[in-house]
Amino acid sequence: RMLDELYTVFDTLSSAFDVYKVGTIGDAYMIAGGIIGDKEAHATATADMAFAMRAAVKLVRAPHNGEALCIRIGIHSGPAMTGVPG
């Protein structure tokens, strides 16, 4: 329930910053800038999304002790490739 609440907030942010939600794997939330929206400002949008995520995580509390959550954010810049495993 806690991750669902957090990811709902992140989904709203991804729409606001015009970044593409790649998906969630376990507790990882992955986005990509430059896929949709303003392709010239993709690095700024990605960084702004990261700052907004850091602020938003303070709104969600750990269910077992009520403490604020901590998150780790990483940003990669450069070409990306995609594939479909099969």
Side-chain angles (χ1 to χ4, degrees):
R1 174 163 154 42
M2 178 190 64
L3 281 179
D4 287 339
E5 183 180 342
L6 186 61
Y7 290 167
T8 299
V9 173
F10 289 171
D11 288 345
T12 302
L13 291 173
S14 67
S15 295
F17 288 102
D18 262 348
V19 296
Y20 177 72
K21 175 185 173 184
V22 175
T24 57
I25 299 175
D27 61 354
Y29 187 94
M30 294 182 293
I31 65 161
I35 306 290
I36 58 173
D38 183 1
K39 302 206 183 342
E40 295 297 319
H42 69 277
T44 303
T46 303
D48 288 344
M49 171 76 177
F51 286 123
M53 290 171 75
R54 192 175 68 173
V57 76
K58 295 176 184 174
L59 303 174
V60 180
R61 300 288 177 170
H64 65 284
N65 62 9
E67 292 184 10
L69 302 178
C70 296
I71 60 172
R72 181 181 62 211
I73 298 173
I75 297 176
H76 168 75
S77 179
M81 298 179 76
T82 186
V84 178

